[in-house]
Amino acid sequence: MAAAYEFVPYPFQAQRYGASLPALQDGRDPVRRPVVVVGGGPVGYCTALGLANHGVPVVVLEADDSVCFGSRAICISRRSLEIVERLGALPGFLAEGLPWTGGRSFYRDQQVLHFLMPQDENQKLPPMVNLAQYSIEQFLLDACEKRSDLIEIRWQNQLQGISSREDGATLQVHTPDGDYALDADWVVAADGGRSFLRDALELKLQGTSYEGRYVIVDILMESSRPTERLAYFDPDCNRGSTVLVHKQPNNVWRIDYQLQDGEDPDAAIRPENVLPRVQSLLDMMGETAPWQPIWTGIYKANALTLPDYRHQRVLFAGDAAHLVPIFGVRGANSGIDDADNLAWKLAYVVKGLAGEGLLGSYSAERVYATHENLSYGTKSTEFMAPPSFAFSLMRQAVLGLAVDHPELASLVNPRQTSAITYRLSPLNAQDDNALFTAGPVTGAPLPECPLQIAGANGLQAGHVTDVVQNRFTVLAFAPQAAQQQALQAVADEMVAQGVPAQLLPVLGKAAAAPALVDSEGKLAAMYGALPGAVYVLRPDGHVLGRWQGGQQDAQALAASVRRAFAKALA
C-alpha cells in the first residue's frame, strides 16, 4: 500500500503551450474565420480533423495550456476507432491502448455475468480499447499538428463572450497576453459539460440528474490480470455499494466506487477515506503488489440533453450538447460520433456544396442518438446506482437470483455503447429496403467485412470500412455494363459539382481499379445484395440508401441514386 498516502504523477508528461495571440487590428483578429471550434478535447480535435479532411480551415480555441489532467474518458469503442482511423490518428490508439472484449460482474463473492462484445474474423478493430483521455487527446493533437496548414490551435484562449447572429458570431477571447474579438461564420461548441457557450446563450439541458455519487481513484500498480471490465455489486470491501475496475496502459488502474447514502462527498474524497477502501478492494481481488495513488475525483450520473444542437450559427457537440451516464462508456464515444456527423455536413455547407438544411439533419440525427444512448444509459444507471429504495430492492433481487439462474444475467449487462442507426433521418432515401433480407438498413453504419481492394497500388487486402474516405461512395454489386455506366455518370455529375463521390463495383474476381473484390461472396451475403444491388454510403459511413437493382432498369436506378444525393445536399 502507498506509504503515508503519497500521491505520484501519471506516467505521462504533458507538453505545455504558451498563450497564442494572433496579430490584431484595433483589438480584433482581422480575418473572419469560416469555423471556430471552442474546446480542444477529443470532440473539438475530432471536429477540427474532420473539417481539415474536407479542406476547411478551422481555428481551435483551448483555454488550458496542455491536454487534460485527471481521469476522464478511458474506453474507446470500435466505432470511435473507425472514425479515428479516418482522421489519421489511429496508430497511437492501437499501440498504447489495451484492447478488451468483455467483462465480469460479481454479486458479493459470486460471479453472475461474463459478457462478451461482438468480435469475429470479420473485424479489423477490437470492440473496445482502454486508453486514458490525456493520451486520447495527445494522439488527436499530434494529428492536428500535422495538419497545421488548415488547423490552428490557440492555447490559453478563453472564451468570455459571444454575440450570436443568423449570419455568424463574434467571440470575445481572453489570453494572458491580451484580449481580442474574433469573427466566425460558424462556431462549434465543444467546451464540455460546463459549457460556457451553452450558458452564454441561455440554453438549458433537459432530463434527469441522479443524486448518487461515485468516487474515482487512479492508482499505479503492476498486475498480470487481463484487461476486462470488472463490476462488483455489494462487495465485502464496500457493502451496499457498486465498484467498477478498469485496467489502463502503463500500469494505471481506474477504480470507481459508489458512495453510501448520507456520505459527505467532500469528506469522501479525502485520502484518509479513499485509500483504505482501495486497499480493501485490492485485498478482496487478491492483488498483492504494492500500489500508489495518482488522482481522485468525484462525479454523479446525468441523463441530460439540449433539445436542439443548433442555435443560429452555433453547433453543439459532445458534453456541451448532452451529458450521458458513464455506464456503458457512451460519453466520449457519443461525442466522437457527434464530431464525425457534424464535420462533413458543416464542411459541405461552408464550401457551398449543400444548403444549411443539412445541419438540421446533424441535430435531428444526433439528438435521436442521444435519446437512444440515454434509454440504455438510464437503465444501466438505475441498476448500477439505484435512485430509490424500490430500485435498490429490485437490483438486490435480480443479483441474488442471477447466482443460481444464469438466464437472468442479461439484466446485469451494462449494455456497452454501439453505433446508432439513424432510422428517422431526414437524409434517408426512399429505397428498396423491404427487398433486402440482410444488411445494414438505411441510416445504419456499415457492418465490417474483409475483402480485397483494387486500387492504384494493385490488389490489397482490406475491409469494407476502408472505403469510407470522406466522400459519398456507391457500391454496385456485380453490375451489368449498362448499370455501371449509368451509375458512373451520376458519380461524375457529383464530382463536377464539387461533391466528392466514387463508384466502386463489387466483383467476384479481380478487375480494373477502382473496385472491391468479394471473391467468396461474403460481403454480398452479409449485405443481402443480389447481382445489381446498390448501396450508397455517406461520408461518415452510414447508409444513405440501398436498391436491389434488378427491380428497375439502369437509368431508373441511376435516377433513384441521383434523387438520394439531391435530398442529402438540400
Side-chain angles (χ1 to χ4, degrees):
M1 180 176 172
Y5 304 139
E6 293 178 359
F7 281 68
V8 297
Y10 282 105
F12 173 85
Q13 187 65 45
Q15 179 178 344
R16 302 291 176 178
Y17 294 86
S20 306
L21 185 66
L24 304 178
Q25 291 182 7
D26 299 323
R28 66 188 314 113
D29 185 332
V31 181
R32 182 181 173 107
R33 307 292 171 167
V35 181
V36 172
V37 174
V38 180
V43 178
Y45 292 142
C46 284
T47 304
L49 286 165
L51 288 163
N53 279 350
H54 288 280
V56 174
V58 56
V59 170
V60 179
L61 303 181
E62 171 52 52
D64 292 332
D65 66 350
S66 72
V67 299
C68 76
F69 176 79
S71 197
R72 303 184 188 183
I74 59 169
C75 301
I76 298 299
S77 70
R78 175 184 286 134
R79 169 63 180 170
S80 293
L81 292 173
E82 291 173 359
I83 294 168
V84 167
E85 181 176 27
R86 283 189 269 116
L87 298 178
L90 182 64
F93 282 71
L94 295 184
E96 183 171 318
L98 299 181
W100 55 282
T101 59
R104 301 175 191 274
S105 296
F106 300 85
Y107 177 48
R108 296 180 178 167
D109 60 350
Q110 296 285 319
Q111 181 174 301
V112 293
L113 171 69
H114 180 206
F115 74 88
L116 294 173
M117 293 176 285
Q119 177 71 357
D120 54 37
E121 70 279 0
N122 293 326
Q123 305 304 323
K124 176 174 65 172
L125 298 167
M128 203 78 69
V129 298
N130 280 357
L131 187 66
Q133 184 164 325
Y134 48 75
S135 292
I136 293 169
E137 290 187 13
Q138 187 63 60
F139 294 136
L140 292 170
L141 174 59
D142 292 344
C144 285
E145 290 178 337
K146 293 177 182 177
R147 301 303 311 272
S148 59
D149 57 325
L150 290 169
I151 301 174
E152 179 188 355
I153 299 175
R154 296 183 181 177
W155 296 96
Q156 299 187 53
N157 274 235
Q158 184 176 18
L159 188 62
Q160 291 197 324
I162 181 172
S163 172
S164 178
R165 307 177 301 278
E166 293 296 337
D167 64 346
T170 299
L171 307 176
Q172 301 299 326
V173 185
H174 168 74
T175 83
D177 297 332
D179 299 348
Y180 68 97
L182 173 62
D183 293 313
D185 294 333
W186 296 92
V187 177
V188 176
D191 53 342
R194 296 184 177 90
S195 171
F196 173 87
L197 278 167
R198 193 177 62 227
D199 290 344
L201 296 174
E202 299 182 346
L203 303 175
K204 301 298 183 184
L205 294 170
Q206 300 175 1
T208 303
S209 184
Y210 294 89
E211 291 304 317
R213 283 175 165 79
Y214 271 74
V215 171
I216 308 170
V217 190
D218 277 2
I219 67 171
L220 193 66
M221 179 183 70
E222 291 190 24
S223 172
S224 60
R225 187 181 292 267
T227 306
E228 56 185 354
R229 194 228 62 177
L230 300 173
Y232 298 93
F233 297 96
D234 198 23
D236 290 338
C237 67
N238 202 9
R239 281 295 188 197
S241 178
T242 305
V243 182
L244 302 175
V245 181
H246 278 281
K247 184 178 184 178
Q248 298 183 67
N250 302 313
N251 296 321
V252 174
W253 289 76
R254 159 85 171 255
I255 299 167
D256 301 48
Y257 64 83
Q258 182 186 5
L259 293 183
Q260 304 282 4
D261 290 342
E263 284 193 79
D264 179 0
D266 293 331
I269 59 171
R270 293 173 186 160
E272 61 267 26
N273 293 322
V274 170
L275 303 183
R277 285 188 176 183
V278 173
Q279 184 64 61
S280 180
L281 168 68
L282 297 176
D283 290 343
M284 185 193 74
M285 294 172 61
E287 293 288 349
T288 59
W291 61 276
Q292 293 175 291
I294 304 174
W295 185 86
T296 63
I298 195 166
Y299 67 87
K300 66 178 182 178
N302 294 292
L304 303 167
T305 183
L306 291 173
D308 193 327
Y309 295 169
R310 180 183 175 188
H311 178 85
Q312 295 177 319
R313 290 295 186 94
V314 182
L315 300 147
F316 289 83
D319 285 355
H322 47 71
L323 296 173
V324 300
I326 68 159
F327 310 111
V329 297
R330 293 176 172 83
N333 291 300
S334 64
I336 291 171
D337 234 332
D338 289 347
D340 189 47
N341 189 300
L342 175 59
W344 74 269
K345 295 175 179 178
L346 182 53
Y348 277 41
V349 172
V350 168
K351 296 169 74 173
L353 302 176
E356 290 188 20
L358 185 58
L359 295 173
S361 77
Y362 162 69
S363 181
E365 290 178 352
R366 294 311 299 165
V367 169
Y368 172 83
T370 296
H371 284 293
E372 288 285 290
N373 279 319
L374 291 179
S375 69
Y376 289 113
T378 297
K379 292 175 184 176
S380 296
T381 299
E382 290 169 346
F383 194 88
M384 301 294 287
S388 68
F389 174 76
F391 279 102
S392 181
L393 192 64
M394 179 196 70
R395 184 180 82 166
Q396 186 175 354
V398 169
L399 289 167
L401 290 170
V403 172
D404 297 317
H405 299 277
E407 64 272 16
L408 295 177
S410 62
L411 298 176
V412 186
N413 195 322
R415 301 177 180 88
Q416 303 298 320
T417 184
S418 59
I420 300 296
T421 295
Y422 304 134
R423 300 182 186 277
L424 304 177
S425 171
L427 303 189
N428 289 350
Q430 296 297 315
D431 60 5
D432 294 341
N433 188 59
L435 300 179
F436 285 79
T437 59
V441 300
T442 305
L446 296 185
E448 189 64 284
C449 183
L451 41 69
Q452 292 179 300
I453 302 174
N457 297 320
L459 200 60
Q460 305 288 329
H463 289 76
V464 67
T465 57
D466 294 332
V467 309
V468 182
Q469 296 291 337
N470 305 306
R471 66 184 176 220
F472 286 97
T473 305
V474 181
L475 301 182
F477 288 79
Q480 295 292 325
Q483 184 193 59
Q484 183 167 339
Q485 184 178 11
L487 291 172
Q488 186 63 60
V490 175
D492 290 344
E493 289 174 20
M494 300 301 297
V495 172
Q497 297 170 23
V499 178
Q502 184 174 36
L503 171 66
L504 288 175
V506 182
L507 309 171
K509 59 182 180 180
L516 304 181
V517 179
D518 184 29
S519 58
E520 298 179 1
K522 180 179 285 190
L523 181 66
M526 184 182 293
Y527 281 42
L530 301 174
V534 170
Y535 276 80
V536 178
L537 313 178
R538 302 172 2 169
D540 56 8
H542 285 259
V543 176
L544 181 65
R546 60 179 185 167
W547 296 264
Q548 276 294 9
Q551 304 298 314
Q552 50 188 315
D553 65 28
Q555 293 302 322
L557 177 61
S560 295
V561 173
R562 188 178 288 108
R563 284 193 296 271
F565 280 128
K567 182 180 181 184
L569 299 176

